Amino acid sequence: MQSKQSPVLRLSVIAVAAQLTALAAGAAFAQEATDQTVANPGKAEVVITGKKLGMGLMVTEDAPKARSTITAEELEKQRPTGNAYQALEMLPAVNSYNYDATGLFGGGMTLRGFNSDQIGATINGVPVNDSGNFAVYPQEYVDQENTCSQFVTQGSTDVDSPQVGATGGNFGITTCAPEKTQRVRVMQSIGQLNMQKTFVRYDTGAIWDGKLTAFISGSHAQADKWKGKGEANRNHIDLGVNYDWDRFNYIHATVLFNKAVNNNINNLTLAEINANGYYYDYADTFKGHLTPVKGTAQVETTQSPAYYGLSVNPFKNIVASAVSKFRLTDNLDVAFTPYMWYGFGNGGTQQRAVSEKGFYNPATGKRDQTVDLNGDGDTMDTVLVANASVTRTVRPGANLAFIYTTDSHEIKTGVWWERARHEQTGPMLKLDNDGNRADIWLQDGQILRPDGHPANSRDWISISTAYQAFLQDTITLAGDKLKINIGVRTPYIKRDFTNFGDELNTVKPFSFNKTYNEVLPQLGARYRVTNDDQVFASVAKNMKAPPNFIFGNIGSNVVVDAVTNLPVSFKDTQPETSWSGDLGYRHQDSKFIATVTAFYTDFKNKQASSFDPETAKNTYLNIGREKHSGLEIELGNTPINGWAFYGSLGFLKTELQDNQYGFAGTTRVLLPTAGKDAPAAPRRKAGLSVEYQDGPFWVRAKARATSKQYASLMNDEVAPGYTTFDVDGGYTFANFGWLKRPKLTFNISNLTSKQFRNPSSTTVINALPYQGVSVNSVSRNYLGAPRFASATLSVDF
């Protein structure tokens, strides 16, 4: 047995052990790919003290349903630019991927085969899914240095979770409380691709008789793209103020501000990869305009691939909340969380070829107005302009709960309310010959119609008013051996939609309103077999309302009379619902923790929706019925002689129950999707973390293996399985004068520069033509970034 004074030898042993284990898993995963041809905060159930089992990747749980949590101990080991999806990647239920190694460009996630727009997302109890289409943007919300925990409830949302769009569980982020000791923390990260992040946080310490603590932090992060020209540029401010009268009465307020301007990374089709290679990206230069000539039609077309300077995602948002709790009597507490969510920005590729004769007239609903865009004195031309979908959201809300406690009951009841004003436009700006426009945010210098109104590729307002009442009784029996949760929630949403008409449709302005609501029961139980062993089971019904953009789908959901240019009917769609059940076993002692969970989910009216930023086209499918089932295993230990391990294994089976239909010309053709796997839902996933710590020094190796994934409902395109390896480490130095806790860490991701891809959409029916039915939408891929190394120096004052 080697001594602790041999860290180099031990590191090599760790690396070999991790590689052998991951290769074994990866070989099984890769085997099935070889034959493919490349064609709520405040939950007080668990109190964690001391060392975390699994070194922060796993904690003891007591909930009567499936739940996984990672802590600050794990988060501080990860790259500081990372986002919420990266932090969850080792969990067996989570299939996450990022557009680059830093996490600054965003990413995607599925949970037990549910897409991210089917998963409720909260920060300090505030819902952050897009109020229109329920999408999640993990890179926007909070600095990872200020995140203290993240959790997922895999089968259902909590009964008081403020959601109308979650059929696949919930994931939440809880920010760190202000420190009770005055402190300044400075962190500087540097890495490849000119990556850098500067983070500064000031904590006031406890003031005002120790009742008030506060912090404010600011950061700037940037990194070049890993292929092609362009960068991510992010500025962020977090503010937290806690006022604690005592442990029963407090107000914890946070304000999280983010502003980022990112160039997009080109997500390629399989054909583009085969033709142009893995590193194919957007064009380095703008192709320019045709020379204007009066009396002659200049017909410009969109550039493909687009100019990288026009493929951008500028966005800014604020999430403000105040989590408060007050004790009314010895048995009755009230919890109240008001919040405000504001977001503004655009995304995709800012280019469109616009006819000078095709400007919208709201009086007739026709595109027969003219504007001279290139200044040649005629209106015969088609001209390239900057254009993208701009969204402005103002979203106040509040969650109110009363908690009544007796010896054996905790009864929680309350209401949630939210009103989201979701304004979606598509302004157009002129481009010069170098591809520049007056404003990257597409606000200043907008092209106007003859009537003075801005020209738009869409012009909608959705006002979504949501309510929810909830009631839950948590019953504790037999000296806490048995815990039973009986609950119900009643989400309700009313969508008031107004379409003002735009330069892409021939329809007069119109309005629709529609309400969706369900009664969603929950039942869960946990039984302690011994002090260290427990079994749990749960079942819950969940709902997701249809997205707001179905009200603007002219020609499909919205049927228009060709003579009057007015809608004559609306083809509504039913809310997506699911029944989800968990059955599991937990062993939790002082040295070892393990969880095994079996699950089953039955969908009805499963929705698949997406927005293509290249074409500004919304895609919506009602897939019908779908079933998911599987098994998840997690295990971890407290350090033994400095060694800590975490392992996870997930098995998932998804099955579409209904066929889809397409058209070969005018002939209706059945596409046999029944019995196929759901897209972006790998059947197997494994993770392994091996860590060694000796006093101030630590190092770990991680491996993650993912099996093949289908890219369409027909399963006619496959993304092969892959295995990636990461190495992290660090050293905490002794205090030096006024420098406290100096710490140096490093992170190396995708050690072997593995090339892999993840499907970007769940709405593609067939990736290849089938019996005369052409491809309904192109399947694109998020590509894995190559090996990336970075280092971070942190010091307190």
Side-chain angles (χ1 to χ4, degrees), residues 222-240:
Q222 63 186 63
D224 292 342
K225 290 165 53 176
W226 62 270
K227 63 171 184 172
K229 289 187 176 181
E231 67 170 6
N233 193 300
R234 177 182 187 264
N235 293 290
H236 194 89
I237 298 173
D238 289 340
L239 170 68

Side-chain angles (χ1 to χ4, degrees), residues 110-133:
T110 59
L111 180 66
R112 291 184 176 176
F114 295 89
N115 197 38
S116 56
D117 61 0
Q118 297 169 295
I119 304 165
T122 60
I123 295 179
N124 297 330
V126 176
V128 292
N129 298 79
D130 185 275
S131 61
N133 63 9

Side-chain angles (χ1 to χ4, degrees), residues 243-301:
Y243 193 88
D244 295 83
W245 287 270
D246 51 46
R247 65 191 181 95
F248 302 112
N249 300 276
Y250 56 79
I251 298 176
H252 297 167
T254 56
V255 179
L256 315 175
F257 168 79
N258 191 79
K259 181 180 180 182
V261 178
N262 293 353
N263 291 102
N264 295 321
I265 296 171
N266 199 351
N267 302 318
L268 303 176
T269 67
L270 192 54
E272 288 173 334
I273 296 173
N274 291 336
N276 303 297
Y278 196 80
Y279 284 79
Y280 185 62
D281 199 63
Y282 293 104
D284 290 350
T285 58
F286 181 59
K287 70 177 185 178
H289 293 291
L290 299 175
T291 301
V293 178
K294 184 176 181 179
T296 301
Q298 289 82 55
V299 180
E300 298 179 355
T301 58

Side-chain angles (χ1 to χ4, degrees), residues 691-726:
E691 181 174 334
Y692 175 74
Q693 183 170 355
D694 186 4
F697 166 79
W698 68 274
V699 66
R700 74 167 172 187
K702 293 194 305 182
R704 187 167 67 107
T706 303
S707 69
K708 71 179 181 183
Q709 305 173 62
Y710 292 106
S712 68
L713 301 178
M714 283 285 289
N715 293 179
D716 54 2
E717 183 176 308
V718 179
Y722 60 90
T723 301
T724 59
F725 303 93
D726 303 338

Side-chain angles (χ1 to χ4, degrees), residues 478-516:
D480 198 33
K481 275 195 170 186
L482 177 63
K483 179 182 286 188
I484 300 172
N485 273 2
I486 303 173
V488 64
R489 62 188 190 98
T490 60
Y492 163 100
I493 183 170
K494 179 184 179 184
R495 293 204 188 273
D496 291 290
F497 179 89
T498 301
N499 188 335
F500 297 101
D502 55 63
E503 269 62 24
L504 288 187
N505 290 302
T506 54
V507 60
K508 292 180 181 178
F510 65 89
S511 297
F512 282 116
N513 64 74
K514 181 68 178 177
T515 61
Y516 305 94

Side-chain angles (χ1 to χ4, degrees), residues 99-156:
Y99 309 156
D100 83 317
T102 68
L104 293 172
F105 290 86
M109 180 178 77
T110 59
L111 180 66
R112 291 184 176 176
F114 295 89
N115 197 38
S116 56
D117 61 0
Q118 297 169 295
I119 304 165
T122 60
I123 295 179
N124 297 330
V126 176
V128 292
N129 298 79
D130 185 275
S131 61
N133 63 9
F134 306 112
V136 181
Y137 306 98
Q139 74 276 19
E140 294 179 354
Y141 304 121
V142 65
D143 265 331
Q144 187 153 288
E145 296 89 338
N146 295 328
T147 302
C148 266
S149 69
Q150 291 184 204
F151 69 88
V152 292
T153 54
Q154 294 92 329
S156 65

Side-chain angles (χ1 to χ4, degrees), residues 105-434:
F105 290 86
M109 180 178 77
T110 59
L111 180 66
R112 291 184 176 176
F114 295 89
N115 197 38
S116 56
D117 61 0
Q118 297 169 295
I119 304 165
T122 60
I123 295 179
N124 297 330
V126 176
V128 292
N129 298 79
D130 185 275
S131 61
N133 63 9
F134 306 112
V136 181
Y137 306 98
Q139 74 276 19
E140 294 179 354
Y141 304 121
V142 65
D143 265 331
Q144 187 153 288
E145 296 89 338
N146 295 328
T147 302
C148 266
S149 69
Q150 291 184 204
F151 69 88
V152 292
T153 54
Q154 294 92 329
S156 65
T157 63
D158 292 325
V159 73
D160 57 342
S161 187
Q163 304 292 346
V164 291
T167 46
N170 191 76
F171 95 90
I173 299 171
T174 303
T175 57
C176 297
E179 297 288 325
K180 293 188 179 297
T181 302
Q182 188 180 48
R183 184 192 71 179
V184 175
R185 171 163 290 178
V186 178
M187 298 177 65
Q188 180 63 50
S189 300
I190 58 172
Q192 295 174 275
L193 298 174
N194 296 312
M195 172 267 197
Q196 58 177 292
K197 180 176 183 180
T198 303
F199 172 86
V200 180
R201 169 168 162 158
Y202 168 68
D203 285 85
T204 64
I207 56 178
W208 291 7
D209 296 328
K211 291 182 171 61
L212 180 70
T213 54
F215 80 85
I216 185 170
S217 71
S219 71
H220 170 76
Q222 63 186 63
D224 292 342
K225 290 165 53 176
W226 62 270
K227 63 171 184 172
K229 289 187 176 181
E231 67 170 6
N233 193 300
R234 177 182 187 264
N235 293 290
H236 194 89
I237 298 173
D238 289 340
L239 170 68
V241 180
N242 285 10
Y243 193 88
D244 295 83
W245 287 270
D246 51 46
R247 65 191 181 95
F248 302 112
N249 300 276
Y250 56 79
I251 298 176
H252 297 167
T254 56
V255 179
L256 315 175
F257 168 79
N258 191 79
K259 181 180 180 182
V261 178
N262 293 353
N263 291 102
N264 295 321
I265 296 171
N266 199 351
N267 302 318
L268 303 176
T269 67
L270 192 54
E272 288 173 334
I273 296 173
N274 291 336
N276 303 297
Y278 196 80
Y279 284 79
Y280 185 62
D281 199 63
Y282 293 104
D284 290 350
T285 58
F286 181 59
K287 70 177 185 178
H289 293 291
L290 299 175
T291 301
V293 178
K294 184 176 181 179
T296 301
Q298 289 82 55
V299 180
E300 298 179 355
T301 58
T302 55
Q303 183 173 342
S304 181
Y307 171 47
Y308 86 93
L310 293 176
S311 190
V312 291
N313 177 209
F315 205 84
K316 51 190 173 185
N317 58 283
I318 300 173
V319 182
S321 64
V323 179
S324 59
K325 190 174 182 181
F326 303 99
R327 172 142 290 188
L328 303 181
T329 70
D330 288 344
N331 301 100
L332 182 62
D333 295 307
V334 59
F336 181 57
T337 303
Y339 62 85
M340 170 65 78
W341 197 102
Y342 169 81
F344 175 79
N346 66 81
T349 299
Q350 296 181 354
Q351 68 166 3
R352 181 174 296 280
V354 177
S355 170
E356 293 179 331
K357 299 178 180 179
F359 286 82
Y360 180 73
N361 183 346
T364 63
K366 297 181 178 180
R367 300 196 305 268
D368 55 9
Q369 301 295 294
T370 61
V371 174
D372 183 3
L373 294 174
N374 59 6
D376 65 355
D378 65 35
T379 56
M380 304 169 60
D381 311 316
T382 298
V383 180
L384 270 178
V385 301
N387 165 253
S389 300
V390 174
T391 299
R392 184 195 305 269
T393 303
V394 180
R395 185 177 177 183
N399 209 352
L400 174 67
F402 293 90
I403 304 100
Y404 182 77
T405 306
T406 66
D407 289 340
S408 57
H409 292 267
E410 182 186 89
I411 300 172
K412 177 184 289 187
T413 186
V415 293
W416 164 62
W417 166 87
E418 177 183 275
R419 183 182 188 273
R421 179 183 172 88
H422 201 67
E423 181 180 348
Q424 297 170 284
T425 58
M428 304 178 188
L429 277 68
K430 292 183 179 180
L431 289 169
D432 66 19
N433 269 328
D434 293 322

Side-chain angles (χ1 to χ4, degrees), residues 696 731-743 794-796:
Y731 190 91
T732 302
F733 299 89
N735 293 344
F736 184 77
W738 45 276
L739 301 178
K740 310 296 183 186
R741 199 175 174 262
K743 182 174 66 170
S794 171
V795 63
D796 294 347

